[in-house]
Amino acid sequence: MVVLSNPALDQLSLIKTQKGTTFSGIPVIDLSLPDCKTELVKACEEFGFFKVVNHGVPMEFMSKLEAETVKFFSLPLSEKEKAGPASPFGYGNRRIGPNGDVGWIEYLLLQADPNFVYQEPMPASRHNPSSFCKAVNEYTSAVRILACQILDLIAEALKIQPRNALSQYLLDTQSDSVFRLNHYPPCPELDAPQHNLIGFGEHTDPQILTVLRSNNTAGLEICMKDGTWLSVPPDQSSFFINVGDAMQVLTNGKFRSVRHRVLANGKKSRLSMIYFGAPSLTAKVSPIPLFLREEKSRYKEFTWYEYKKAAYSSRLADNRLDIFTTEEKEACDGV
Ligand code: GA4
């Protein structure tokens, strides 16, 4: 469990939400259908967010990792801390990033490049480390393939050449991809009807594409173009995909990096497993020439390292692309 004292609670943001808006219109894309690539592009432009079904990842991979994750987060704090501090990889609780952001959360952050094999040191007591490592490795390999399939379909629909121009970033052995396991513990005394506790504050993901799977507990909200927050009904057998900042830049703003947040409303534990597909630190990030035929570049070229360096001096809610834009202010950067 997360160790949180009552004064710690005072520092966490309590936000008021309008009465439970549950958005049912989130795009659901069936990857087995021939026209899914057009739908993927539409969803990336309109929402920067969608759900995929018939994705080919065995349910068994998800449930095995979920069971192992539950075991891991049930360990005593001292055992979880043996994974090392999350700076940047390891176990963390409450603190998110290095600049004062906090949430009602504990998590494990891991490297996720294609060569990386998750191994010990891992907590040993009451828990079988090798089965946890196996489940992480099995799951991350499968979702990496899924992310690459989605990127290839998008490239095909947009006629980006070569077809693997986007997925190659994730398949690069030096890819800076990250894997995150999040646990939002229940906090019943805060479950007042008009209040919600912030599990993970609003932000956009830095990377190219995010693949998220959660258990059946609600909490995720996405920010629409008009600034309203919509709650995403959980679905433990599907994946939710976020467009990240790097993808917004690669498409010169055609795709929208979606602002999102997680509320931990107190009744049930929420568990999520998230793969963030990223370029290598030396990769140059700038719009693909195809997107510059009719429009000038909205972004200055940067290396992924430069973006990351700036990102780690930012607060969670900051717009991390502002400093790389060629225009005064982004037109559609949410709230
Ligand atoms: C948001 C998306 C991923 O969870 C993450 C986060 C990272 C962290 O928790 O260490 C960051 C955050 C995330 C964006 C800005 C920086 C970095 C915390 C923070 C304040 C792992 C990532 O890649 O960027």
Coordinates of all heavy atoms in Angstrom, one line a residue, residues 86-89 95-101 105 107 109-110 176-180 182 200-201 203-207 210 242 245 260 274 276 278 304 307-308 310-318 320, ligand 1:
A86 N 12.6 5.7 -8.2 CA 12.2 6.0 -9.6 C 12.9 7.2 -10.1 O 12.2 8.2 -10.4 CB 10.7 6.1 -9.6
S87 N 14.2 7.2 -10.2 CA 14.9 8.4 -10.8 C 15.9 7.9 -11.8 O 17.1 7.9 -11.5 CB 15.5 9.2 -9.7 OG 16.3 8.4 -8.8
P88 N 15.6 7.6 -13.0 CA 14.2 7.6 -13.5 C 13.5 6.2 -13.4 O 12.3 6.2 -13.4 CB 14.3 8.0 -15.0 CG 15.7 7.4 -15.4 CD 16.5 7.4 -14.2
F89 N 14.3 5.1 -13.2 CA 13.6 3.8 -13.1 C 13.6 3.2 -11.7 O 14.7 3.2 -11.1 CB 14.3 2.8 -14.1 CG 14.2 3.3 -15.5 CD1 15.3 3.6 -16.3 CD2 13.0 3.5 -16.1 CE1 15.2 4.1 -17.6 CE2 12.9 4.0 -17.4 CZ 14.0 4.3 -18.2
R95 N 5.1 11.0 -5.1 CA 5.9 11.9 -5.9 C 5.9 11.5 -7.4 O 6.2 10.3 -7.7 CB 7.3 12.0 -5.5 CG 7.6 12.9 -4.3 CD 9.1 12.8 -4.0 NE 9.3 12.5 -2.6 CZ 9.1 13.4 -1.6 NH1 8.8 14.7 -1.9 NH2 9.3 13.1 -0.4
I96 N 5.6 12.4 -8.3 CA 5.6 12.1 -9.7 C 6.6 13.1 -10.3 O 6.4 14.3 -10.2 CB 4.2 12.3 -10.3 CG1 3.2 11.3 -9.7 CG2 4.3 12.1 -11.9 CD1 1.8 11.5 -10.1
G97 N 7.7 12.6 -10.9 CA 8.7 13.4 -11.5 C 9.5 14.2 -10.4 O 9.2 14.1 -9.2
P98 N 10.5 15.0 -10.9 CA 11.4 15.6 -9.9 C 10.9 17.0 -9.4 O 11.7 17.6 -8.7 CB 12.7 15.7 -10.7 CG 12.3 15.7 -12.1 CD 10.9 15.2 -12.3
N99 N 9.8 17.5 -9.9 CA 9.5 18.9 -9.6 C 8.3 19.3 -8.8 O 7.6 20.3 -9.0 CB 9.4 19.7 -11.0 CG 10.7 19.5 -11.7 OD1 11.8 19.7 -11.2 ND2 10.6 19.1 -13.0
G100 N 8.0 18.4 -7.8 CA 7.0 18.7 -6.8 C 5.6 18.2 -7.2 O 4.6 18.5 -6.4
D101 N 5.4 17.5 -8.2 CA 4.0 16.9 -8.5 C 3.8 15.7 -7.6 O 4.7 14.9 -7.4 CB 3.9 16.5 -10.0 CG 3.9 17.8 -10.9 OD1 2.9 18.5 -10.8 OD2 4.9 18.0 -11.6
I105 N -0.9 7.7 -5.6 CA -0.4 6.7 -6.5 C 0.9 6.0 -6.0 O 1.7 6.7 -5.3 CB -0.1 7.3 -7.9 CG1 0.3 6.2 -9.0 CG2 1.0 8.3 -7.9 CD1 0.4 6.7 -10.4
Y107 N 4.0 3.4 -7.9 CA 4.3 2.9 -9.3 C 5.6 2.3 -9.4 O 6.5 2.5 -8.5 CB 4.1 4.1 -10.3 CG 5.0 5.3 -10.0 CD1 6.3 5.3 -10.5 CD2 4.6 6.3 -9.2 CE1 7.1 6.4 -10.2 CE2 5.4 7.4 -8.9 CZ 6.7 7.4 -9.4 OH 7.5 8.5 -9.1
L109 N 8.6 2.1 -12.5 CA 8.9 2.6 -13.8 C 10.1 1.7 -14.3 O 11.1 1.6 -13.6 CB 9.4 4.0 -13.7 CG 8.4 5.1 -14.0 CD1 8.9 6.5 -13.6 CD2 7.9 5.1 -15.4
L110 N 10.0 1.2 -15.5 CA 11.0 0.3 -16.1 C 11.4 0.8 -17.5 O 10.5 1.4 -18.2 CB 10.4 -1.1 -16.2 CG 9.8 -1.7 -14.9 CD1 9.1 -3.0 -15.2 CD2 10.9 -1.9 -13.9
D176 N 14.1 4.9 -26.3 CA 14.0 5.3 -24.9 C 12.6 5.0 -24.4 O 12.1 5.7 -23.5 CB 14.3 6.9 -24.9 CG 14.3 7.5 -23.6 OD1 14.9 6.9 -22.7 OD2 13.6 8.5 -23.4
S177 N 12.0 3.9 -24.9 CA 10.7 3.6 -24.4 C 10.6 3.2 -22.9 O 11.7 2.8 -22.4 CB 10.1 2.4 -25.2 OG 10.1 2.8 -26.6
V178 N 9.5 3.4 -22.3 CA 9.3 3.2 -20.9 C 8.1 2.4 -20.6 O 7.1 2.4 -21.3 CB 9.1 4.6 -20.2 CG1 8.9 4.5 -18.7 CG2 10.3 5.6 -20.5
F179 N 8.2 1.6 -19.5 CA 7.0 0.8 -19.1 C 6.7 1.2 -17.7 O 7.6 1.3 -16.8 CB 7.3 -0.7 -19.2 CG 6.1 -1.5 -18.9 CD1 4.9 -1.4 -19.6 CD2 6.2 -2.5 -17.9 CE1 3.8 -2.2 -19.3 CE2 5.0 -3.2 -17.6 CZ 3.9 -3.1 -18.3
R180 N 5.4 1.4 -17.4 CA 5.0 1.9 -16.1 C 3.9 1.0 -15.5 O 2.9 0.8 -16.2 CB 4.5 3.3 -16.3 CG 4.0 4.0 -15.1 CD 3.8 5.5 -15.3 NE 3.9 6.0 -13.9 CZ 4.6 7.1 -13.6 NH1 5.1 7.9 -14.5 NH2 4.6 7.5 -12.3
N182 N 1.1 1.3 -12.6 CA 0.6 2.2 -11.6 C -0.4 1.5 -10.7 O -1.3 0.8 -11.2 CB -0.2 3.3 -12.4 CG 0.8 4.3 -13.0 OD1 1.9 4.5 -12.6 ND2 0.3 5.0 -14.0
F200 N -3.3 10.9 -10.8 CA -2.2 11.3 -11.6 C -2.7 12.6 -12.3 O -3.7 12.6 -13.1 CB -1.9 10.2 -12.7 CG -0.4 10.2 -13.2 CD1 0.5 9.2 -12.9 CD2 0.0 11.3 -14.0 CE1 1.8 9.2 -13.3 CE2 1.3 11.3 -14.4 CZ 2.2 10.3 -14.1
G201 N -2.0 13.7 -12.1 CA -2.5 15.0 -12.6 C -2.5 15.1 -14.1 O -1.8 14.3 -14.8
H203 N -1.8 15.9 -17.8 CA -0.6 16.0 -18.6 C -0.7 15.4 -20.0 O -1.7 14.7 -20.2 CB 0.6 15.2 -17.9 CG 0.3 13.8 -17.8 ND1 -0.6 13.2 -17.0 CD2 0.9 12.8 -18.6 CE1 -0.6 11.9 -17.2 NE2 0.3 11.6 -18.2
T204 N 0.2 15.7 -20.8 CA 0.3 14.9 -22.1 C 1.5 14.0 -22.0 O 2.4 14.3 -21.2 CB 0.5 15.9 -23.3 OG1 1.7 16.6 -23.1 CG2 -0.7 16.8 -23.5
D205 N 1.4 12.9 -22.7 CA 2.6 12.0 -22.7 C 3.6 12.5 -23.6 O 3.3 13.0 -24.7 CB 2.1 10.6 -23.1 CG 1.3 9.9 -22.0 OD1 1.3 10.4 -20.9 OD2 0.6 9.0 -22.4
P206 N 4.9 12.4 -23.2 CA 6.0 13.0 -24.1 C 6.2 12.2 -25.4 O 6.5 12.7 -26.4 CB 7.2 12.8 -23.2 CG 6.7 12.8 -21.8 CD 5.4 12.1 -21.9
Q207 N 6.0 10.8 -25.3 CA 6.5 9.9 -26.4 C 5.6 10.0 -27.7 O 4.8 10.8 -27.9 CB 6.5 8.5 -25.8 CG 7.5 8.4 -24.7 CD 7.0 8.8 -23.3 OE1 5.9 9.3 -23.2 NE2 7.8 8.7 -22.3
T210 N 1.3 5.8 -26.7 CA 1.1 5.1 -25.4 C 0.1 4.0 -25.5 O -1.0 4.2 -26.1 CB 0.6 6.2 -24.4 OG1 1.5 7.3 -24.3 CG2 0.5 5.6 -23.0
N242 N -2.9 6.5 -26.6 CA -2.8 8.0 -26.6 C -1.7 8.4 -27.6 O -0.7 7.8 -27.7 CB -2.1 8.5 -25.2 CG -3.0 8.3 -24.0 OD1 -4.1 7.7 -24.1 ND2 -2.5 8.7 -22.9
D245 N 3.3 13.7 -27.4 CA 3.9 15.0 -28.0 C 4.8 14.7 -29.2 O 4.7 15.5 -30.2 CB 4.8 15.7 -26.9 CG 4.0 16.3 -25.8 OD1 2.7 16.4 -25.9 OD2 4.6 16.8 -24.8
H260 N -4.6 14.2 -20.4 CA -5.4 13.3 -19.7 C -5.0 13.3 -18.2 O -4.0 13.9 -17.9 CB -5.3 11.9 -20.3 CG -3.9 11.4 -20.4 ND1 -3.0 11.9 -21.3 CD2 -3.2 10.5 -19.7 CE1 -1.8 11.3 -21.2 NE2 -1.9 10.4 -20.2
I274 N 1.3 0.5 -18.6 CA 1.4 1.4 -19.7 C 2.8 1.4 -20.4 O 3.8 1.5 -19.7 CB 1.2 2.9 -19.1 CG1 0.1 2.9 -18.1 CG2 0.9 3.8 -20.3 CD1 0.0 4.2 -17.3
F276 N 5.1 3.2 -23.1 CA 5.3 4.5 -23.8 C 6.3 4.3 -24.9 O 7.5 4.2 -24.5 CB 5.8 5.6 -22.8 CG 4.9 5.8 -21.6 CD1 5.0 5.1 -20.4 CD2 3.8 6.8 -21.7 CE1 4.2 5.4 -19.3 CE2 3.0 7.0 -20.6 CZ 3.2 6.3 -19.4
A278 N 8.9 5.3 -27.5 CA 9.7 6.6 -27.7 C 10.8 6.4 -28.7 O 11.3 5.2 -29.0 CB 10.3 7.0 -26.4
W304 N 15.5 14.0 -29.2 CA 14.7 13.4 -28.1 C 15.4 13.8 -26.8 O 14.7 14.0 -25.8 CB 14.5 11.9 -28.3 CG 13.6 11.3 -27.3 CD1 13.9 10.4 -26.4 CD2 12.2 11.7 -27.0 NE1 12.8 10.1 -25.6 CE2 11.8 10.9 -25.9 CE3 11.3 12.7 -27.6 CZ2 10.5 11.0 -25.4 CZ3 10.0 12.8 -27.0 CH2 9.6 11.9 -26.0
Y307 N 14.4 17.3 -25.8 CA 13.0 17.3 -25.3 C 13.0 16.7 -23.8 O 12.4 17.3 -22.9 CB 12.1 16.4 -26.2 CG 10.7 16.3 -25.6 CD1 9.7 17.1 -26.1 CD2 10.4 15.4 -24.6 CE1 8.4 17.0 -25.5 CE2 9.1 15.3 -24.0 CZ 8.1 16.1 -24.5 OH 6.9 16.0 -23.9
K308 N 13.6 15.6 -23.6 CA 13.6 14.9 -22.3 C 14.2 15.8 -21.2 O 13.7 15.9 -20.1 CB 14.4 13.6 -22.4 CG 13.7 12.5 -23.1 CD 12.8 11.7 -22.2 CE 13.3 11.0 -21.0 NZ 13.5 9.6 -21.0
A310 N 14.3 19.0 -21.2 CA 13.4 20.1 -20.8 C 12.2 19.5 -20.0 O 11.7 20.1 -19.1 CB 12.9 20.8 -22.1
A311 N 11.8 18.3 -20.4 CA 10.6 17.7 -19.8 C 10.9 17.4 -18.3 O 10.0 17.6 -17.5 CB 10.3 16.4 -20.5
Y312 N 12.1 17.0 -18.0 CA 12.4 16.7 -16.6 C 12.6 18.0 -15.7 O 12.8 17.9 -14.5 CB 13.5 15.7 -16.5 CG 12.9 14.3 -16.6 CD1 12.8 13.7 -17.9 CD2 12.4 13.6 -15.5 CE1 12.2 12.5 -18.0 CE2 11.8 12.4 -15.7 CZ 11.7 11.8 -16.9 OH 11.1 10.6 -17.1
S313 N 12.6 19.2 -16.4 CA 12.6 20.4 -15.6 C 11.2 21.0 -15.6 O 11.0 22.1 -15.0 CB 13.5 21.5 -16.1 OG 14.4 21.0 -17.0
S314 N 10.2 20.3 -16.2 CA 8.8 20.8 -16.2 C 8.0 20.3 -15.1 O 8.3 19.3 -14.5 CB 8.2 20.5 -17.6 OG 7.9 19.1 -17.7
R315 N 6.8 20.9 -14.9 CA 5.8 20.4 -14.0 C 4.9 19.5 -14.9 O 4.8 19.7 -16.1 CB 5.0 21.5 -13.4 CG 5.8 22.3 -12.4 CD 6.2 21.6 -11.2 NE 5.2 21.0 -10.4 CZ 4.6 21.6 -9.3 NH1 5.1 22.7 -8.8 NH2 3.7 21.0 -8.6
L316 N 4.2 18.6 -14.3 CA 3.4 17.6 -15.0 C 2.4 18.3 -16.0 O 2.3 17.9 -17.2 CB 2.6 16.8 -14.0 CG 2.1 15.4 -14.4 CD1 3.1 14.6 -15.1 CD2 1.5 14.8 -13.2
A317 N 1.8 19.3 -15.6 CA 0.7 19.9 -16.4 C 1.2 20.9 -17.4 O 0.4 21.3 -18.3 CB -0.3 20.7 -15.5
D318 N 2.5 21.1 -17.5 CA 3.0 22.1 -18.5 C 2.9 21.6 -19.9 O 2.8 20.4 -20.1 CB 4.5 22.3 -18.2 CG 4.8 23.1 -16.9 OD1 3.8 23.7 -16.4 OD2 6.0 23.1 -16.5
R320 N 4.8 20.9 -22.8 CA 6.2 20.7 -23.1 C 6.6 21.0 -24.5 O 7.8 20.9 -24.8 CB 6.7 19.3 -22.6 CG 6.8 19.2 -21.1 CD 7.0 17.8 -20.6 NE 5.7 17.1 -20.5 CZ 4.9 17.2 -19.5 NH1 5.2 18.0 -18.5 NH2 3.7 16.6 -19.5
Ligands
GA4_1 C1 4.3 11.5 -18.1 C2 4.2 10.1 -18.8 C3 5.0 9.0 -18.2 O1 4.3 8.5 -17.0 C4 6.4 9.5 -17.8 C5 6.2 10.6 -16.8 C6 7.5 11.1 -16.1 C7 7.7 10.6 -14.7 O2 6.8 10.2 -14.0 O3 8.9 10.5 -14.4 C8 7.3 12.7 -16.1 C9 6.0 13.0 -16.9 C10 5.8 11.7 -17.7 C11 6.1 14.2 -17.8 C12 7.1 15.3 -17.4 C13 8.1 14.9 -16.4 C14 8.5 13.4 -16.7 C15 7.2 13.4 -14.7 C16 7.5 14.8 -15.0 C17 7.2 15.8 -14.3 C18 7.2 8.3 -17.3 C19 7.0 10.2 -18.9 O4 7.8 9.8 -19.8 O5 6.7 11.5 -18.8

